[in-house]
């Protein structure tokens, strides 16, 4: 009888131990996903890198500019004051000018293409500017007696002081010329643009253009949306684009004085 009772007790202990082991394993199994879930919640989410806009060129790369002399006998000459009065990059930026230096020697462009699809750009900097600023139309022209009928007549018309009702964007692919822009004292600032210069003029600024004494410039004109060809000759003070420029760049200075 004693032996039978011992066997019964051992059997009961064995069943109890198996039950405890089963409960422990079950508990561990149900807790494991909870730990993983907590780790998943506390892990920082992945963030995508934001693409930065192409920065404008450093001041040292900006084109040479100066105040023009009032005595202009030939629009294609330098026409500097005596002594010369230079205008630095900060002075041009203050008028709303933007500027990038690109490598025009590294890529080939047609002499003339009207239109030229900006999606065809293979220069990575030009492609980024196109995307950054939303340029969707372009053309390429060469201003030279051999490529532009009535060259002298057209050059005189380009030199009429005017505004546009959109930003003006010019990328110089070859040759050189002058953009004249009015400063805040209504004086002419002459900017000498050359190969590789990409410059924008703000909507509503009084300006004019001419080739220099080399009589050739190869340029790309870029546009946001439909191209804007119409110049509005001075006086254009009541034009909405002129008012926009005055409010943004001229009146702003008066407010800070």
């Amino acid at each position: 009888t004693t032996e039978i009772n011992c066997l019964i007790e051992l059997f009961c202990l064995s069943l109890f131990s198996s039950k405890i082991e089963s409960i422990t394993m079950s508990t561990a199994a149900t807790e494991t996903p909870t730990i993983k879930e907590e780790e998943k919640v506390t892990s920082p989410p992945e963030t995508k890198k934001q693409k930065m806009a192409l920065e404008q060129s450093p001041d040292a790369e900006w084109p040479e500019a100066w105040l023009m002399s009032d005595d202009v006998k030939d629009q294609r000459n330098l026409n500097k004051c005596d002594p010369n009065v230079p205008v630095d990059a900060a002075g041009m930026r203050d008028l709303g000018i933007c500027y990038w230096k690109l490598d025009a020697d590294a890529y080939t462009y047609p002499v003339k293409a009207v239109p030229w699809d900006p999606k065809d750009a293979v220069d990575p900097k030009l492609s980024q500017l196109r995307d950054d600023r939303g340029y969707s139309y372009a053309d390429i022209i060469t201003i030279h007696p051999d490529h532009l009928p009535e060259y002298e007549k057209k050059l005189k018309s380009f030199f009429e002081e005017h505004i546009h009702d959109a930003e003006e964007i010019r990328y110089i692919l070859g040759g050189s010329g002058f953009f004249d822009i009015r400063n805040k004292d209504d004086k002419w600032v002459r900017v000498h643009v050359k190969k590789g210069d990409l410059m924008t003029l703000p909507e509503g600024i009084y300006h004019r253009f001419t080739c220099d004494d080399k009589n050739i410039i190869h340029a790309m004109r870029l546009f946001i949306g439909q191209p804007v060809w119409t110049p509005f000759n001075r006086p254009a003070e009541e034009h909405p684009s002129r008012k926009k420029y005055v409010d943004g760049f001229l009146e702003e200075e008066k407010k800070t004085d």
Side-chain angles (χ1 to χ4, degrees):
T1 305
T2 303
E3 289 179 358
I4 292 171
N5 289 337
C6 287
L7 288 171
I8 292 170
E9 287 178 4
L10 286 172
F11 179 72
C12 290
L13 285 171
S14 176
L15 285 175
F16 181 75
S17 297
S18 299
K19 185 67 174 177
I20 293 297
E21 185 178 352
S22 175
I23 292 170
T24 302
M25 290 178 65
S26 177
T27 303
T30 56
E31 286 178 352
T32 301
T34 305
I35 294 170
K36 290 183 179 180
E37 189 67 27
E38 288 176 356
E39 289 176 353
K40 183 178 179 182
V41 171
T42 56
S43 298
E46 293 184 3
T47 55
K48 293 183 178 179
K49 290 184 179 179
Q50 188 174 3
K51 185 179 178 181
M52 299 297 290
L54 185 65
E55 291 186 5
Q56 293 188 50
S57 295
D59 290 5
E61 293 184 0
W62 281 57
E64 184 185 7
W66 56 87
L67 285 183
M68 283 188 71
S69 168
D70 293 329
D71 183 21
V72 177
K73 292 183 174 64
D74 187 335
Q75 68 189 55
R76 285 169 279 203
N77 291 341
L78 295 176
N79 292 302
K80 294 184 177 182
C81 296
D82 188 15
N84 182 41
V85 183
V87 177
D88 61 12
M92 287 184 272
R93 281 194 298 269
D94 196 40
L95 299 175
I97 307 301
C98 297
Y99 175 80
W100 295 265
K101 185 70 174 179
L102 304 185
D103 188 2
D105 284 319
Y107 306 94
T108 302
Y109 298 95
V111 172
K112 182 179 179 181
V114 182
W116 184 81
D117 191 344
K119 291 179 181 177
D120 292 339
V122 293
D123 180 346
K125 285 189 175 182
L126 181 59
S127 298
Q128 186 173 347
L129 270 175
R130 174 201 65 203
D131 296 340
D132 289 346
R133 301 176 73 84
Y135 300 146
S136 55
Y137 179 96
D139 63 23
I140 296 173
I141 59 171
T142 298
I143 302 174
H144 180 270
D146 292 343
H147 299 287
L148 184 65
E150 299 182 307
Y151 170 77
E152 292 293 341
K153 183 179 178 181
K154 293 286 180 62
L155 204 61
K156 287 181 179 178
S157 69
F158 296 154
F159 204 59
E160 289 288 334
E161 185 175 359
H162 62 278
I163 67 169
H164 293 295
D165 58 3
E167 179 183 65
E168 181 165 335
I169 308 103
R170 296 293 181 268
Y171 176 27
I172 311 306
L173 305 172
S176 50
F178 300 116
F179 274 104
D180 298 337
I181 55 177
R182 288 286 189 186
N183 68 7
K184 295 180 179 181
D185 296 321
D186 209 30
K187 299 292 185 181
W188 282 118
V189 174
R190 172 152 279 195
V191 184
H192 200 181
V193 291
K194 300 177 182 179
K195 189 174 187 177
D197 293 339
L198 192 154
M199 189 170 74
T200 70
L201 307 181
E203 174 186 345
I205 192 172
Y206 281 125
H207 66 284
R208 62 191 183 188
F209 170 80
T210 183
C211 288
D212 59 17
D213 56 6
K214 295 181 178 61
N215 284 308
I216 184 169
I217 193 163
H218 183 205
M220 179 185 297
R221 304 185 292 186
L222 294 136
F223 301 89
I224 301 171
Q226 291 299 312
V228 177
W229 308 105
T230 307
F232 300 92
N233 290 346
R234 191 169 186 174
E237 300 305 318
E238 297 305 313
H239 193 284
S241 293
R242 180 59 186 172
K243 290 181 177 180
K244 179 180 178 181
Y245 180 78
V246 170
D247 290 343
F249 292 94
L250 306 186
E251 293 295 336
E252 187 64 31
E253 185 176 76
K254 294 179 182 178
K255 293 175 185 177
T256 57
D257 287 345

